[in-house]
Amino acid sequence: MTTDPHPPVDLRPSGPFRLGDRVQLTGPKGRMHTVTLRENGELHTHHGVLRHTEIVGQPDGSVVTNSGGHEYLALRPLLRDFVMSMPRGAAIVYPKDAAQILAQADIFPGATVVEAGVGSGALSLWLLRAIGQNGRLVSFERREEFADVAQANVETFFGEYPTTWQVVVGDLVDELPAALAPASVDRVVLDMLAPWECLDVVADALTPGGVVICYVATATQLSRVAEYLRGTGLYTEPEASETMVRGWHVEGLAVRPDHRMVAHTGFLITARRLAPGAVPPDVRKRALKKPSYADEDVEVWTPGAVGDREITDKNLRKRVREAQRAVEGARIAAHGSAADEGDAGAVVD
């Protein structure tokens, strides 16, 4: 009996460490290093040298010793660890906000999801996990360099390029109608400076009852998005929130809040697509009231006034190179795993 000459690669983040794997090493005094295992790689610190070959073949969660006798705990990074240490072309969506996006937008297996912009791919990773093998994620990004970094980061983490993911370089307003049929999208996630510019075309793409969620940094952006959602008459009343996470020190009877916490990173605002022609009762009452803002207030909501921090071209090129080096390591791991499985069971008598 012969076996499949091209067995599927096991891409689960488990099992012994392989060449190309990313490993999180925690050493003396809790200092952390993240490395990609290479055949002749070494981690040099003032405590000594740790050869990558000493880690390869060890199970996840092992303790390895360097040339100076210092011990390091070796673990594969969790997704939250990976997104905090991966190369960045643009600012990332932090894990605490990504978790809320998955919950508030109700991202489910098999969903068709639109994301804009893709940034460095942090949110894309969470979305791809949530939609599963039968879902579809279409990510729009205006800058090709950001798209390159994001795609390299995603392939690095998964070990292969997801078949459920499509990245479109261009403006969402121009590209979305051509990429997806009207009323075919279940969820839309907007992480951009001026999401209100896209809400009309998003309404056309969303299926009735579908969710749009916007991630914005400032209160002025939040206000502008809310007023625009109301003004279209196409969405339910928007709901806004922010998420703060405070850790706790727990050691014996010494139980107290940490001195530092992850406070404001951004606001989330969600709404659902109404059926064509539907007018909720609360909207009829609100239509009798005058707007609480004037034309001059709108100027405060423009992208220039809000402030758009740009990464330099030199720095961005550096991030692209870092992301490409990481994805090369992931490809080595994937190909090595396939070769090992093929050698182990090519022919069975």
Side-chain angles (χ1 to χ4, degrees):
M1 182 179 65
T2 60
T3 61
D4 186 353
H6 302 289
V9 180
D10 186 359
L11 298 174
R12 293 176 301 171
S14 59
F17 292 117
R18 302 161 299 179
L19 291 175
D21 279 351
R22 288 177 68 86
V23 180
Q24 186 173 276
L25 298 168
T26 305
K29 298 182 179 180
R31 184 171 179 80
M32 191 177 296
H33 305 270
T34 301
V35 301
T36 300
L37 297 180
R38 302 193 183 278
E39 188 170 357
N40 298 314
E42 296 178 336
L43 172 66
H44 290 259
T45 71
H46 62 279
H47 293 293
V49 179
L50 177 61
R51 292 182 174 84
H52 291 190
T53 52
E54 298 293 327
I55 305 172
V56 174
Q58 297 290 335
D60 209 342
S62 296
V63 175
V64 293
T65 306
N66 73 355
S67 61
H70 294 274
E71 295 182 333
Y72 288 79
L73 173 63
L75 289 164
R76 282 189 176 87
L78 301 176
L79 178 50
R80 67 179 186 183
D81 302 319
F82 179 82
V83 299
M84 296 301 294
S85 64
M86 69 186 190
R88 301 182 188 180
I92 66 167
V93 175
Y94 284 86
K96 71 180 183 70
D97 295 314
Q100 286 297 312
I101 289 172
L102 296 183
Q104 294 187 29
D106 192 37
I107 309 296
F108 59 91
T112 297
V113 180
V114 165
E115 173 198 20
V118 70
S120 299
L123 182 58
S124 304
L125 284 163
W126 294 102
L127 293 171
L128 285 165
R129 267 192 169 181
I131 64 175
Q133 297 181 350
N134 297 320
R136 182 186 182 191
L137 174 64
V138 183
S139 302
F140 295 82
E141 175 56 55
R142 290 178 176 177
R143 297 192 62 171
E144 187 172 0
E145 299 90 343
F146 287 174
D148 290 340
V149 172
Q151 290 177 98
N153 284 334
V154 169
E155 185 176 349
T156 298
F157 183 79
F158 286 119
E160 64 177 6
Y161 195 92
T163 58
T164 55
W165 192 34
Q166 177 186 358
V167 178
V168 178
V169 177
D171 194 295
L172 178 73
V173 174
D174 300 326
E175 303 294 339
L176 180 56
L180 292 153
S184 65
V185 177
D186 298 302
R187 307 289 186 258
V188 175
V189 184
L190 300 179
D191 174 19
M192 57 177 61
L193 193 64
W196 52 86
E197 296 176 351
C198 305
L199 291 174
D200 292 317
V201 70
V202 164
D204 293 335
L206 273 174
T207 184
V211 179
V212 60
I213 183 165
C214 304
Y215 180 68
V216 294
T218 69
T220 50
Q221 289 171 297
L222 180 68
S223 178
R224 179 68 176 117
V225 174
E227 295 302 331
Y228 197 96
L229 283 166
R230 294 187 180 109
T232 63
L234 301 173
Y235 297 93
T236 60
E237 175 67 10
E239 299 178 5
S241 65
E242 66 174 332
T243 305
M244 300 185 185
V245 176
R246 183 173 71 173
W248 279 71
H249 172 87
V250 181
E251 188 173 346
L253 296 179
V255 181
R256 55 168 174 75
D258 285 342
H259 296 305
R260 293 185 177 184
M261 67 177 291
V262 183
H264 176 78
T265 48
F267 297 102
L268 293 176
I269 181 168
T270 64
R272 300 188 68 177
R273 178 68 164 98
L274 294 169
V279 181
D282 61 325
V283 174
R284 299 180 191 276
K285 297 177 182 178
R286 193 169 59 246
L288 301 176
K289 301 179 180 180
K290 293 183 178 180
S292 58
Y293 62 93
D295 291 341
E296 56 268 21
D297 296 316
V298 176
E299 294 301 318
V300 181
W301 291 328
T302 59
V306 171
D308 186 11
R309 290 184 295 178
E310 292 286 341
I311 185 173
T312 64
D313 290 339
K314 180 180 179 181
N315 201 354
L316 183 54
R317 288 194 296 271
K318 177 183 177 182
R319 306 293 174 82
V320 172
R321 290 194 298 270
E322 291 175 354
Q324 291 296 338
R325 284 196 294 269
V327 78
E328 287 171 6
R331 289 168 181 165
I332 291 172
H335 294 159
S337 175
D340 291 344
E341 291 192 22
D343 293 341
V347 178
V348 178
D349 294 331

